[in-house]
Amino acid sequence: MLLGQNVNSYGKNLEQPMTFAELLREIEQIDGLERIRFMTSHPKDLSDDLIEVMANSKKICPHLHLPLQSGSSRILKAMNRRYDKEKYLALAKKIRERMPDIALTTDIIVGFPGETEEDFRESCAFLKEIGFLKVHVFPYSRRSGTPAYDFPDQVHEREKQARSREMNAIAEDIRREVLAGCEGSEDDVLLETPLSGTLFTGYTRLYVPVVVSAPGHKSGEIVHVRLGSYDGERVRAEMV
């Protein structure tokens, strides 16, 4: 797992500059390494080269965490995100054209200063349009020293919490729909936490959380499974 505030900016200040895509190519050559993930990619500078590396890789998981933060271009501008809703949508379409089965996850902030009810509704509609596997919803937290701290039209805490609850419910409906479409498909699961006896939790390459009975196996091993139904927390899977 490669971690960074924005992994796409990797290598720009090295003595011998290297792009993140080039780094991934190097890592893929490591013998014995079976699965690669990374986060977070900023939508403003996710390169075509990175998309190609992911599409051609046998080790990089087909899952991309691509923070949106808002589905309103007006709010994105206020956040200084350096992309708008249309650019984000075009990027998501480009990624899916190259990798049709990729899973997209994201972050959303609700109640950013100046966010109107119309802005919020725009964000909710945009989540449905993209069809994210998982949405992490955060109510805006006012922090001194940040430009937004002094922005006018601060959203009341009660309203932020209400919008957060509503968006979480919408995100869960989308998640159920996406996972229903995965039912019956097969993927590899990295066994992680043993629950009891032979029962494990883990994640597929597509970042689907599963619970599976895997007799004779242990944490850290990878098994092939068929996905079943989603129980609101994990997908029930069986080894094949």
Side-chain angles (χ1 to χ4, degrees):
M1 170 64 84
L2 306 177
L3 295 174
Q5 188 69 26
N6 176 19
V7 293
N8 301 336
S9 294
Y10 171 82
K12 294 180 179 179
N13 59 349
L14 296 177
E15 284 188 20
Q16 296 181 335
M18 169 184 277
T19 67
F20 185 61
E22 290 169 339
L23 175 66
L24 288 173
R25 286 194 184 98
E26 292 290 326
I27 292 174
E28 184 151 10
Q29 303 307 312
I30 299 174
D31 291 336
L33 189 62
E34 298 183 54
R35 179 179 284 201
I36 302 168
R37 290 193 193 276
F38 60 85
M39 65 183 303
T40 302
S41 276
H42 197 301
K44 70 179 175 64
D45 56 0
L46 193 151
S47 69
D48 290 346
D49 194 23
L50 177 56
I51 295 172
E52 284 304 307
V53 168
M54 291 187 69
N56 294 319
S57 174
K58 295 181 179 179
K59 295 182 178 181
I60 300 173
C61 292
H63 159 235
L64 187 61
H65 188 71
L66 197 64
L68 172 63
Q69 305 301 12
S70 176
S72 163
S73 292
R74 190 180 73 83
I75 296 300
L76 287 171
K77 184 176 182 179
M79 290 177 170
N80 194 31
R81 291 292 290 178
R82 289 192 276 173
Y83 58 85
D84 56 21
K85 180 176 70 173
E86 289 72 26
K87 288 182 179 178
Y88 188 101
L89 180 60
L91 178 59
K93 287 183 176 179
K94 180 191 292 186
I95 292 166
R96 281 181 167 153
E97 284 172 1
R98 193 66 183 86
M99 296 174 280
D101 296 328
I102 194 169
L104 295 179
T105 57
T106 199
D107 298 330
I108 285 281
I109 295 173
V110 297
F112 190 81
E115 183 187 67
T116 64
E117 181 69 18
E118 182 180 352
D119 293 320
F120 174 69
R121 294 298 158 199
E122 200 173 342
S123 286
C124 292
F126 197 65
L127 293 188
K128 297 176 183 177
E129 185 172 3
I130 297 291
F132 292 104
L133 170 68
K134 177 70 175 178
V135 180
H136 301 274
V137 181
F138 303 95
Y140 168 73
S141 178
R142 194 178 186 188
R143 297 180 182 178
S144 61
T146 62
Y149 183 86
D150 296 317
F151 281 6
D153 302 320
Q154 297 284 331
V155 178
H156 194 280
E157 186 64 31
R158 185 168 54 248
E159 181 62 28
K160 286 190 286 188
Q161 294 301 325
R163 290 179 185 178
S164 181
R165 288 192 297 271
E166 182 176 351
M167 186 165 282
N168 270 310
I170 292 170
E172 180 61 21
D173 287 343
I174 297 169
R175 181 172 175 80
R176 286 182 178 278
E177 185 176 337
V178 171
L179 291 176
C182 295
E183 192 167 345
S185 65
E186 296 182 12
D187 201 350
D188 292 330
V189 171
L190 174 62
L191 302 178
E192 297 184 14
T193 306
L195 296 181
S196 61
T198 61
L199 206 60
F200 293 84
T201 63
Y203 285 87
T204 69
R205 296 173 69 250
L206 287 167
Y207 202 60
V208 174
V210 304
V211 57
V212 59
S213 178
H217 292 276
K218 59 186 179 181
S219 296
E221 294 183 348
I222 294 175
V223 298
H224 194 66
V225 304
R226 180 180 296 112
L227 301 182
S229 60
Y230 175 55
D231 65 8
E233 185 175 2
R234 299 182 182 92
V235 169
R236 299 284 171 173
E238 59 180 8
M239 289 182 57
V240 293

